[in-house]
């Protein structure tokens, strides 16, 4: 089996359904030789991941995923090779997690008004982490039989524009990039197509983000088709941005996404790791 790279993985420390050690076991089975744990707004899964990585011979890249506000949408910024124990950085992440705790009870109130018998205590108990988010609410809705899947929960209740959606306070993309830079990490735009721009619009966005300190973009991704991947590769080349890729594995809330291979056709070239390391040490 060829060596694989996966630079976008979530665990139970944010909204994934498996602990780091089990994610690493799946990675080992898939032939992944290096990976990044990129939990949302939290880095507490890294000690377990580093221990499991040492045992399985998998290189662990310390990572994180930070949500930022982009008009009516969100841009997610991945950070790689950062000093995950940096106190100032972790203080900023704690502030982001606090904004989730302010938002989540409002979502629960709306769900209860819609007839869903659900409490925030149940959500927090299921999550078992401080990085509680909408996917955890979706899982409780699934457990109680109100929806059959996380997708249905978002489509009916939790997505932007749906009846239980509540916005939360988020940093601007430039802020999230600056936080990662200050923690000695490399900031990378996650799943760029989520920006709902294409062609020159996406190029201009990435050009602006690069001027604000962006180092790379996630070109190889589970839901990108070959044409989209080629277009993103072209933008990265034109702007001299690093190319990265990952599955965005979550487990039960994205059951069609597997570690290392996404929906089955994902391949993140291992050769992309060295340029990322060089950028981190520059």
């Amino acid at each position: 089996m060829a060596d694989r790279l996966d630079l976008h993985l979530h665990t139970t420390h944010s909204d994934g359904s498996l602990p780091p050690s089990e994610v690493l076991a799946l990675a080992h089975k898939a032939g992944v030789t290096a990976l990044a744990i990129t939990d949302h707004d939290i880095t507490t899964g890294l000690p377990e991941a580093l221990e499991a990585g040492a045992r399985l011979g998998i290189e662990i890249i310390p990572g994180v995923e930070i949500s930022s506000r982009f008009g009516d949408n969100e841009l997610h910024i991945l950070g790689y090779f950062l000093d995950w124990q940096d106190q100032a950085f972790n203080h900023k992440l704690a502030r982001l997690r606090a904004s989730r705790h302010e938002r989540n009870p409002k979502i629960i109130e709306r769900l209860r008004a819609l007839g869903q018998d659900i409490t925030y205590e149940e959500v927090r108990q299921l999550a078992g982490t401080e990085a509680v988010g909408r996917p955890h609410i979706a899982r409780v809705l699934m457990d109680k039989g109100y929806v059959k899947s996380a997708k249905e929960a978002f489509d009916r209740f939790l997505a932007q524009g749906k009846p239980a959606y509540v916005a939360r306070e988020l940093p601007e993309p430039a802020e999230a990039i600056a936080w990662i830079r200050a923690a000695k990490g490399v900031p990378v735009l996650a799943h760029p197509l989520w920006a709902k721009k294409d062609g020159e619009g996406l190029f201009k966005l990435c050009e602006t983000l690069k001027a604000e300190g962006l180092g790379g973009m996630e070109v190889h991704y589970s839901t990108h088709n070959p044409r989209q991947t080629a277009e993103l590769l072209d933008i990265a080349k034109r702007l001299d941005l690093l190319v990265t890729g990952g599955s965005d594995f979550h487990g039960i809330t994205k059951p069609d996404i597997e570690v290392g291979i996404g929906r089955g056709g994902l391949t993140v070239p291992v050769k992309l790791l060295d340029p990322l390391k060089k950028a981190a040490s520059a």
Side-chain angles (χ1 to χ4, degrees):
M1 184 182 291
D3 290 350
R4 290 183 179 275
L5 184 63
D6 194 336
L7 298 176
H8 194 161
L9 297 159
H10 296 274
T11 77
T12 45
H13 287 260
S14 65
D15 58 350
S17 62
L18 296 178
S21 58
E22 291 185 33
V23 173
L24 266 288
L26 290 175
H28 183 65
K29 187 176 178 182
V32 173
T33 53
L35 61 80
I37 298 296
T38 55
D39 279 316
H40 295 279
D41 310 333
I42 200 164
T43 59
T44 53
L46 286 169
E48 183 183 334
L50 289 164
E51 182 183 341
R55 187 174 67 251
L56 295 169
I58 299 174
E59 181 178 357
I60 307 299
I61 294 101
V64 74
E65 185 172 12
I66 300 175
S67 301
S68 67
R69 175 69 55 215
F70 178 63
D72 292 332
N73 297 316
E74 292 184 8
L75 287 184
H76 291 189
I77 309 297
L78 295 158
Y80 296 116
F81 289 107
L82 41 78
D83 178 1
W84 59 277
Q85 294 172 308
D86 180 88
Q87 287 188 347
F89 181 66
N90 280 298
H91 179 69
K92 293 180 177 78
L93 295 186
R95 276 175 27 215
L96 280 181
R97 296 196 299 275
S99 78
R100 290 177 184 270
H101 292 308
E102 291 163 10
R103 168 208 213 187
N104 292 335
K106 297 174 185 175
I107 296 175
I108 301 300
E109 284 177 24
R110 294 191 178 192
L111 285 169
R112 291 180 66 82
L114 292 164
Q116 318 303 307
D117 183 15
I118 176 175
T119 68
Y120 193 36
E121 289 71 26
E122 290 172 320
V123 175
R124 293 196 69 164
Q125 185 173 359
L126 176 142
T129 173
E130 281 302 300
V132 185
R134 286 176 295 164
H136 296 118
I137 297 172
R139 284 173 60 191
V140 173
L141 289 171
M142 289 166 62
D143 289 349
K144 293 200 161 193
Y146 292 123
V147 296
K148 290 185 172 63
S149 66
K151 184 180 184 304
E152 184 186 348
F154 275 82
D155 289 347
R156 284 179 58 193
F157 302 114
L158 303 174
Q160 187 173 343
K162 301 303 178 181
Y165 177 79
V166 177
R168 71 182 177 108
E169 289 297 314
L170 291 172
E172 294 296 315
E175 268 188 280
I177 289 168
W179 294 356
I180 293 166
R181 288 284 184 194
K184 302 181 178 64
V186 180
V188 170
L189 178 61
H191 34 67
L193 299 182
W194 284 28
K196 297 182 180 175
K197 291 182 178 289
D198 50 28
E200 281 304 298
L202 186 57
F203 175 84
K204 291 291 186 187
L205 169 63
C206 293
E207 187 176 43
T208 299
L209 293 174
K210 183 181 180 182
E212 293 169 343
L214 187 74
M217 64 191 301
E218 189 173 50
V219 170
H220 304 280
Y221 186 69
S222 291
T223 60
H224 291 173
N225 62 40
R227 178 186 58 80
Q228 291 167 331
T229 300
E231 288 176 354
L232 293 172
L233 273 172
D234 180 63
I235 291 173
K237 185 176 180 180
R238 288 165 66 192
L239 290 172
D240 193 25
L241 287 168
L242 292 164
V243 172
T244 73
S247 64
D248 200 4
F249 173 83
H250 280 71
I252 194 170
T253 55
K254 292 187 179 182
D256 58 330
I257 304 296
E258 296 185 41
V259 176
I261 60 172
R263 287 176 169 170
L266 178 70
T267 300
V268 184
V270 176
K271 67 180 182 181
L272 299 179
L273 187 55
D274 278 345
L276 189 59
K277 285 182 178 178
K278 287 175 184 172
S281 62

